[in-house]
């Protein structure tokens, strides 16, 4: 009986969730080393261009800019002021205007804030802290893949996971998405280990992993449905329902913890309810980019109020671009290989469970999905496992020559994916806010005070002029004019839109000339004057 016949004869073990594989061979000994190589590839891509320009240095345009800015505010204002929330003091006055970011749970901010206390908030320091959160993802994926692939196939899955451009470019972004991906894989691995040998200790590890994921980002709440879908492949849902119920209880507790933390930071339960409602009913489209007159973070146009068919088309286009068509074709062949392997078809269900993880945010916030391509990151492990299944067949069932060719194929695909990632880093060096920062620097100097009616904290590290945000009324502008010490240069009010017109701007236009250059429109005001 050959290795392939033995696999078919033994099939998928429903009790443990493992697909019995062929006896260990020379190729199998390479598997763990490929997993370690995958970690090295993730860290290499995370470090690429790490100490260059700010937005490129933190990778990922808008999301990374938010993290950097809020962590810096934590350092400047202190935890006693921010209460561990993502707080930005955007203007002076009594009381000052303060913005609180409750679109995400606070654990990710706490992690970076604690790190920054010792290492600072430079792009390099933030990137290093985030790399520690994403590096274990490849090892977790390898351990999960061993449940239904031989060691060499699991190692190939881990390496190709690190080589997917969506992972190589977006996972190192200093934002919650890469961190919560690792947490999801860790929770799923802990769940599977509990299923293989139920014990109180393993259940506690699983529940702790669920709590970690849920407090990192909202996608962490997908742990329970993903784990439930995972069990359908071997009919183990009934045996796991108590553990899943306990995990659901933990997630409800995390929501209560989020509300309590928001209450401490905001000071009123009514405001907490408002923030939660705002999260649940996200706005229909990117308003800030239209307000600035600059392109959004993706090269695909995203008008407001998109229909579901248009959203599906955009998300499909983004997925094809970010996953890489060649790697997606390989994953499709791997799924076919699993389907044709007798006794292994049920392993397609865990793949489908992993693939669903990247669609939860898309389903909940479809309008935002049109310009949040990194939300698909959580589906990358499923693509990698399908690729691993393809090479698992070649390594274990076709003889030494085919196995050698398969090894070369893994190396070629990994090199192709990583090369694609590095090319994307170079192509995307200009971010959405760089054009605005360049316009501001072309007109204003370091001693000029520039007030704006909207809040764009992401451009602060990109420009030399001093910015004040959310100045929408004469009273707010007067607070900034009287702030001490006031810069010695010009006092400027920049319009959010060239065509913006209201009673106040009409009054300003009647008293002061409206300056315009390269799409930037502003008034130069006398700080002591009346507007």
């Amino acid at each position: 009986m050959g290795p392939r016949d033995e696999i078919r004869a033994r099939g998928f073990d429903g009790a443990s969730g493992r697909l019995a594989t062929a006896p260990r061979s020379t190729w199998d000994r390479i598997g763990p080393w490929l997993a370690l190589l995958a970690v090295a590839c993730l860290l290499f891509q995370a470090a690429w261009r790490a100490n260059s320009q700010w937005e490129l240095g933190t990778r990922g345009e808008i999301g990374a800019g938010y993290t950097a800015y809020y962590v810096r505010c934590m350092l400047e204002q202190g935890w006693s002021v921010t209460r561990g929330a993502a707080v930005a003091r955007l203007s002076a006055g009594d009381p000052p205007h303060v913005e609180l970011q409750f679109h995400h749970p606070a654990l990710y901010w706490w992690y970076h804030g604690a790190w920054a206390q010792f290492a600072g908030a430079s792009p390099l320091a933030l990137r290093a802290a985030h790399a520690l959160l994403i590096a274990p993802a490849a090892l977790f994926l390898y351990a999960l893949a061993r449940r239904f692939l031989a060691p060499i196939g699991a190692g190939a899955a881990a390496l190709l996971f690190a080589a997917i451009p969506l992972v190589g470019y977006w996972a190192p972004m200093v934002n919650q998405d890469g961190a919560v991906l690792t947490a999801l894989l860790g929770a799923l691995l802990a769940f599977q280990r509990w299923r293989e040998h139920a014990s109180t200790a393993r259940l506690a590890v699983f529940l702790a992993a669920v709590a970690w994921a849920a407090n990192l980002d909202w996608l962490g709440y997908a742990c329970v449905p993903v784990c439930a879908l995972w069990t359908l492949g071997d009919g183990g849902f009934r045996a796991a329902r108590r553990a899943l119920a306990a995990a659901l209880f933990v997630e409800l507790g995390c929501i209560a913890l989020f509300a309590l933390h928001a209450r401490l930071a905001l000071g009123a339960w009514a405001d907490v309810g408002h923030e939660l409602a705002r999260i649940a009913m996200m706005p229909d489209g990117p308003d800030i980019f239209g307000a600035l007159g600059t392109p959004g973070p993706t090269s695909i146009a995203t008008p407001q109020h998109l229909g579901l068919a248009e959203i599906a088309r955009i998300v499909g286009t983004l997925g094809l671009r970010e996953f890489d068509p060649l790697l997606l074709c390989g994953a499709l062949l791997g799924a076919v290989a699993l389907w044709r392997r007798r006794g292994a078809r049920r392993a397609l269900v865990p793949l489908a469970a992993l693939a669903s993880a990247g669609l939860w945010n898309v389903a909940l916030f479809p309008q935002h999905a049109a310009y949040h391509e990194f939300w698909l990151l959580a589906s990358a492990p499923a693509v990698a496992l399908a690729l691993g299944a393809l090479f698992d067949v070649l390594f274990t069932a076709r003889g030494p020559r085919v196995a050698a060719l398969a090894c070369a194929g893994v190396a070629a695909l990994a090199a192709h994916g990583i090369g694609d990632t590095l090319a994307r880093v170079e192509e995307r060096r200009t971010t959405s806010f760089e054009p605005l920062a360049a316009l501001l620097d072309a007109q204003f100097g370091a001693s000029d005070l520039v007030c704006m009616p909207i809040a764009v904290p992401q451009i602060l590290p990109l420009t030399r002029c001093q910015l004040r945000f959310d100045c929408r009324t004469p009273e707010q502008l007067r607070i900034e004019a009287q702030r001490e010490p006031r810069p010695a240069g010009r006092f400027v009010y920049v319009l959010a839109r060239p065509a913006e017109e209201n009673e106040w701007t009409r009054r300003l236009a009647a008293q002061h000339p409206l300056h315009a250059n390269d799409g930037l429109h502003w008034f130069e005001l006398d700080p002591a004057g009346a507007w």
Side-chain angles (χ1 to χ4, degrees):
M1 178 182 292
R4 188 175 186 181
D5 296 326
E6 183 175 342
I7 292 173
R8 285 181 170 177
R10 295 173 66 184
F12 192 79
D13 184 351
S16 67
R18 294 178 182 272
L19 176 66
T21 56
R24 288 184 63 86
S25 65
T26 303
W27 294 110
D28 280 343
R29 295 187 182 94
I30 301 175
W33 293 103
L34 289 181
L36 294 176
L37 181 60
V39 174
C41 289
L42 272 178
L43 294 177
F44 169 73
Q45 293 171 101
W48 187 255
R49 296 284 188 185
N51 205 27
S52 57
Q53 183 181 344
W54 179 271
E55 283 288 334
L56 178 63
T58 48
R59 186 82 61 85
E61 301 161 347
I62 306 169
Y66 274 124
T67 301
Y69 185 67
Y70 287 125
V71 169
R72 191 173 67 180
C73 288
M74 283 185 180
L75 293 180
E76 292 176 354
Q77 300 171 34
W79 290 64
S80 62
V81 174
T82 65
R83 297 186 178 94
V87 174
R89 190 181 299 275
L90 299 178
S91 64
D94 188 17
H97 176 75
V98 175
E99 176 187 280
L100 294 98
Q101 222 275 26
F102 279 103
H103 290 172
H104 302 279
L107 183 59
Y108 188 76
W109 314 119
W110 294 353
Y111 170 76
H112 275 290
W115 176 280
Q117 294 287 339
F118 303 98
S122 68
L124 190 60
L126 291 174
R127 196 111 159 229
H130 183 77
L132 296 179
L133 296 180
I134 65 171
L139 299 179
F140 291 159
L141 182 63
Y142 173 80
L144 283 170
R146 281 293 294 119
R147 270 57 192 175
F148 53 94
L149 296 178
I152 183 62
L159 180 59
L160 294 175
F161 166 76
I164 295 174
L166 178 66
V167 176
Y169 182 82
W170 291 107
M173 175 179 68
V174 186
N175 204 14
Q176 288 90 343
D177 297 87
V180 77
L181 170 62
T182 303
L184 272 171
L185 291 173
L188 187 55
L189 177 61
F191 174 67
Q192 185 60 35
R193 282 173 52 80
W194 173 82
R195 294 180 66 213
E196 293 163 6
H197 179 68
S199 68
T200 303
R202 290 193 174 191
L203 179 61
V205 171
F206 167 55
L207 297 180
V210 170
W212 173 264
N215 284 300
L216 276 175
D217 200 7
W218 301 116
L219 183 59
Y221 287 86
C223 282
V224 170
V226 168
C227 288
L229 289 173
W230 181 273
T231 64
L232 298 180
D234 52 34
F237 176 78
R238 184 177 180 85
R241 67 186 186 278
R242 290 187 178 180
L244 293 173
L248 182 60
F249 181 79
V250 168
E251 291 186 349
L252 293 175
C254 291
I255 293 177
L257 181 63
F258 171 84
L260 178 61
H261 179 230
R263 167 69 176 84
L264 293 174
L266 289 172
W269 287 111
D271 289 338
V272 174
H274 171 74
E275 290 294 331
L276 288 173
R278 195 168 64 146
I279 292 166
M281 302 181 67
M282 298 288 278
D284 287 331
D287 176 67
I288 192 170
F289 301 109
L292 294 174
T294 61
T298 169
S299 59
I300 296 178
T302 55
Q304 294 186 2
H305 304 292
L306 298 174
L308 292 180
E310 183 66 10
I311 291 173
R313 183 193 67 81
I314 292 176
V315 171
T317 303
L318 291 173
L320 187 64
R321 183 185 72 186
E322 298 298 326
F323 277 110
D324 188 89
L326 184 59
L327 292 173
L328 282 177
C329 288
L332 181 61
L333 291 175
V336 172
L338 278 178
W339 177 260
R340 295 187 60 185
R341 179 182 284 183
R342 187 174 61 192
R345 291 181 181 180
R346 284 178 293 176
L348 290 172
V349 178
L351 262 66
L354 279 174
S356 72
L359 301 178
W360 287 101
N361 278 340
V362 176
L364 291 173
F365 310 117
Q367 298 291 338
H368 273 49
Y371 59 101
H372 282 60
E373 53 263 65
F374 47 84
W375 278 358
L376 298 173
L377 191 62
S379 294
V383 174
L385 284 177
L387 285 165
L390 172 64
F391 287 102
D392 183 71
V393 171
L394 297 176
F395 277 118
T396 61
R398 297 293 183 182
R401 292 184 179 180
V402 175
L405 290 176
C407 187
V410 170
L413 280 180
H416 167 77
I418 294 173
D420 194 358
T421 297
L422 301 186
R424 290 166 193 246
V425 172
E426 299 301 326
E427 291 170 3
R428 299 175 182 179
R429 296 190 67 170
T430 300
T431 72
S432 305
F433 297 107
E434 284 179 348
L436 177 62
L439 289 176
L440 292 172
D441 282 348
Q443 300 298 329
F444 312 117
S447 62
D448 294 329
L449 181 61
V450 179
C451 298
M452 305 176 69
I454 57 177
V456 199
Q458 295 87 354
I459 67 172
L460 284 173
L462 302 176
T463 180
R464 61 184 179 181
C465 59
Q466 301 188 43
L467 298 178
R468 300 291 184 269
F469 301 134
D470 280 337
C471 298
R472 300 188 180 94
T473 65
E475 291 74 20
Q476 290 171 325
L477 194 61
R478 192 169 292 110
I479 288 174
E480 296 301 337
Q482 297 172 357
R483 182 178 182 179
E484 296 292 343
R486 201 187 71 77
R490 292 174 291 174
F491 184 58
V492 176
Y493 182 68
V494 174
L495 296 182
R497 296 179 177 87
E500 182 179 29
E501 185 174 335
N502 54 45
E503 183 179 351
W504 183 36
T505 56
R506 284 194 295 268
R507 190 183 356 159
L508 286 175
Q511 299 174 359
H512 306 275
L514 178 63
H515 301 271
N517 190 19
D518 290 334
L520 194 67
H521 296 70
W522 72 94
F523 295 105
E524 292 190 17
L525 306 176
D526 180 4
W531 312 305

